[in-house]
Amino acid sequence: MTEFSEIHDDPFALHLAALAVLDDRGAVAGWNRRAQELLGYPDTAVLGRPAFEVFVDPPDLPAVRRAAARCRRAGGWFGLLNVRHRDGRLVEMGLRAHALSRDGRVREWVLAGALAVDVLEWQRDRAVLDGLYRRCPIGLVVHGPDLRILRVNRAIERFSGVPAADFRGLPTGSFLLPDDARRAVDRVRQVIETGRPMLYSEQFVRLELDPAREQVAMVSSFPMEDPSGRILGVAEMIEDITARHRAQRRLALLDQAGSRIGTTLDVAETARELAEVMVPHLADHASVDLLQPVTRGEELTQALAGPVVRVGACSVGAQQPGPPHPQGEPVEFGPDAPQARCLAEGRPVLEPVLPPDWFSRDGRQGDHAPDLGAHSLIAVPVAARGLVLGVMTLWRSRRPDPFEADDLTLAQELASRAAVAIDNARRFTQQQQTAFTLQSSLLPRAVPDQSAVEVALRYLPASAAPGLGGDWFDVIPLSGARIALVVGDVVGRGIHAAATMGRLRTAVHTLASLDLEPDEVLSRLDDLVLLLAAEQEAVGERPVGEQVVGATCLYAVYDPVSGRCSAARAGHPPPVVTAPDGEVALLDLPAGPPLGLGGLPFEAREVELAEGSLLSLYTNGLIGERHIDADVGLTKLCAALTRPADPLERTCQAVVDSLVPARPSDDVALLIARTRMLPADDVASWRLPLEPASAARARALTSAKLSEWGLGHLAFTTELIASELVTNVYRYASGPATLRLIRERCLVCEVSDTSHTSPHLRRARTTDEGGRGLFLVAQMAERWGTRYSREGKTVWTEQPLAGMFT
């Protein structure tokens, strides 16, 4: 394409054209120097001679005659012909003929000629200029040095809707809004002053005739100069890139939405992210309303049209009002509202131009508009996996241009992307609620009634980590007024960890009912964890984070009669003991391996605790936060436990406030127990020899002590129980028998011996002489059982103080 800097001069101009004059008979009457240069004939060789004879080759004569006939009829002619040079060769020339008349009669013909190649180049240049002004889709504006418009092409006419002729002589920036006109004038003035072009600058263009229509133009401005370098004006190439700019903006918005929407598994937060992405790039106001079951993480079984809750909203500008319904508030749409139709039909609604009475019509719309200046609306369903979860509403009030079909398509795409994230968050919430329900059902809901310790508990689930943890605690009453205190932590997170925690807690309860020593309890738990891991491996359950790799546990038994505490731990942090005088120390317990390693022994240790001591059990989350060292955590824990006389709940909360951040990264379980001692008057113990008379002796001692305690109504049953148990020792065991009575929340009767033989309850036949002792004991007592120690065994019974038969 010919560049503007290379545009050729008119080859038919007087100083460039070869000129000849023919008389009315076709003879040459005039001849200029340029004609002589092109064809080689001096004027003396052609003047007076017929032009056909001199310049036309015989084969071309018919074509020349036809051209001459047309010229006479039309009074002029233009075209290409072969002209014979003086040396005999043919020269292709462009010829233009004009008739000169006198008194209305043709007297002479003026012929202007130029080489055909020059004529064709000139014609192409003219075609380019004609295309620029008439057919080019890119706008062209020519400004004079006085900042007035000289000429515009047809593309500017189509771009602006103003006839091209109306621009001539007007100041630069005419028909534009003042701000846009000022930028246009500054650009042209800068090019005139600097003489340097400004290429590919984008400008927003708003016309005074249609201020609501915002267009974007790509403008390239360059100076026009004469051969001496004088600035003649500025030409601007203006391309309407509105569609391309909007497409780029939509693509950028889609890309931005991909990184900003769905950053969390929280329904409300995802809805807010969707609203914030929409403003101000697509809308001036945005609101996201979700069905109430979605916000609660519930399953949607059928399409619903309400009620909905506003969970996300955003508006432009600090001074711009937001949607009238605050976030979290229920919203009800009228049956004809676009949002109601969108929810019911699951299809988007576009209201590009809202009529002036739209808000007041039936009084139904204004309640849901961000302000009454809103002039355009889009309502898009938030739908995923075939279910409508809610509706997103977009408004425009500040931006003058209305929503269009492409905006609706973009809003649908963004809402669809967000809907998947919202539905994922809903499903996660549902799973979390299910898991928390499972976990809460597995944890103790209340501390059982007992006299051994006063207890305060805290369980704080992690807020940052995904899934549930396996932390648990327990307070288990044991025989002989003793109490078992348990804290454990299953490795891993999620439903599997919570379920495993429940299985281990159940196992601990079962083992506690057997009155096993703490180290024996941990050994049995270790076997159970190994069994669970083997079961998972056998069935191929090996997803990351769900294997039962192991667990830690601390098991302690406190006896309020002796004031002694026996404890063992399996890879768990040691308990903290606070003496009544406020001295704090870690209980020196062998660490032991975590549960699930197998083959390694556990060791229990027994210590004596003064009445009023604090025994604090906890999980690793209390001291093992990522931002603090474990030793630092233990130091802070000990510092918070230096006031044993304070109310236990206050102490427990002080520990939480000191060590647990607002959003803990791991589950935290904390159990603080203040020890109690049973009064010496509530415990009676006697050593009985292994002889037949010991049964009678037991009955007498029991009757006397119960009378002393004011429990004479229990004398008959307790005498029978003590007599039968002592008799069994005499018959089946070895060593002396020890009879002990304990008065606390119930009446405890215990008989101990040095044998490890296990007593069995059986139903005797009518012909049997014995075998009815334990059967009678079981019938008389509310609970009974056997516990073993290294020295032997103890058979115990419990009776309510009110008496079973009163």
Side-chain angles (χ1 to χ4, degrees), residues 718-795:
T718 310
E719 287 179 22
L720 178 60
I721 290 172
S723 174
E724 290 296 332
L725 294 180
V726 171
T727 300
N728 280 346
V729 173
Y730 170 72
R731 289 184 175 180
Y732 307 111
S734 61
T738 301
L739 171 64
R740 187 169 72 162
L741 298 177
I742 301 174
R743 180 182 62 175
E744 51 131 11
R745 297 177 183 272
C746 61
L747 178 62
V748 179
C749 178
E750 297 179 343
V751 175
S752 304
D753 61 64
T754 59
S755 171
H756 288 87
T757 303
S758 175
H760 294 284
L761 178 67
R762 66 186 181 90
R763 185 179 296 274
R765 294 187 296 270
T766 56
T767 57
D768 290 343
E769 295 182 359
R772 299 176 178 83
L774 280 182
F775 180 78
L776 292 174
V777 169
Q779 295 299 312
M780 295 296 179
E782 184 178 52
R783 295 175 61 235
W784 77 280
T786 305
R787 67 174 181 267
Y788 296 88
S789 65
R790 292 176 176 83
E791 294 78 18
K793 70 174 181 297
T794 299
V795 180

Side-chain angles (χ1 to χ4, degrees), residues 691-722:
E691 58 186 27
S694 293
R697 174 68 174 162
R699 287 195 297 271
L701 294 172
T702 300
S703 178
K705 179 55 68 173
L706 292 183
S707 297
E708 180 184 336
W709 284 345
L711 299 176
H713 60 282
L714 296 177
F716 174 76
T717 56
T718 310
E719 287 179 22
L720 178 60
I721 290 172

Side-chain angles (χ1 to χ4, degrees), residues 138-190:
I138 299 176
L140 175 64
V141 181
V142 179
H143 305 271
D146 58 351
L147 297 181
R148 289 188 174 273
I149 299 174
L150 301 178
R151 188 175 181 183
V152 301
N153 67 350
R154 296 284 177 81
I156 294 295
E157 182 178 284
R158 292 189 296 270
F159 184 72
S160 64
V162 179
D166 293 351
F167 281 92
R168 292 184 180 179
L170 293 176
T172 297
S174 295
F175 300 109
L176 297 179
L177 292 181
D179 289 343
D180 296 339
R182 184 167 51 255
R183 286 191 289 269
V185 171
D186 292 344
R187 184 176 56 252
V188 174
R189 180 181 288 113
Q190 182 177 347

Side-chain angles (χ1 to χ4, degrees), residues 190-245:
Q190 182 177 347
V191 174
I192 292 175
E193 292 175 352
T194 63
R196 293 193 298 269
M198 294 180 62
L199 304 179
Y200 309 121
S201 61
E202 290 188 6
Q203 179 176 342
F204 288 92
V205 179
R206 292 168 297 172
L207 299 174
E208 290 180 338
L209 300 177
D210 189 7
R213 182 186 176 202
E214 186 179 70
Q215 302 177 86
V216 184
M218 180 75 74
V219 183
S220 294
S221 308
F222 49 89
M224 299 183 298
E225 302 176 350
D226 63 11
S228 65
R230 182 168 58 94
I231 300 294
L232 300 177
V234 174
E236 289 189 316
M237 306 294 293
I238 302 176
E239 181 182 2
D240 183 4
I241 61 169
T242 303
R244 184 172 68 195
H245 179 82

Side-chain angles (χ1 to χ4, degrees), residues 436-497:
F436 280 124
T437 301
L438 169 63
Q439 189 177 41
S440 62
S441 67
L442 296 175
L443 291 173
R445 296 180 178 271
V447 177
D449 291 336
Q450 43 78 38
S451 303
V453 292
E454 177 190 355
V455 177
L457 303 168
R458 289 292 187 277
Y459 179 82
L460 303 172
S463 59
L468 298 174
D471 293 18
W472 91 91
F473 52 81
D474 230 324
V475 178
I476 307 173
L478 302 177
S479 63
R482 297 171 307 137
I483 194 76
L485 305 175
V486 189
V487 170
D489 185 0
V490 174
V491 176
R493 303 196 65 82
I495 294 292
H496 281 251

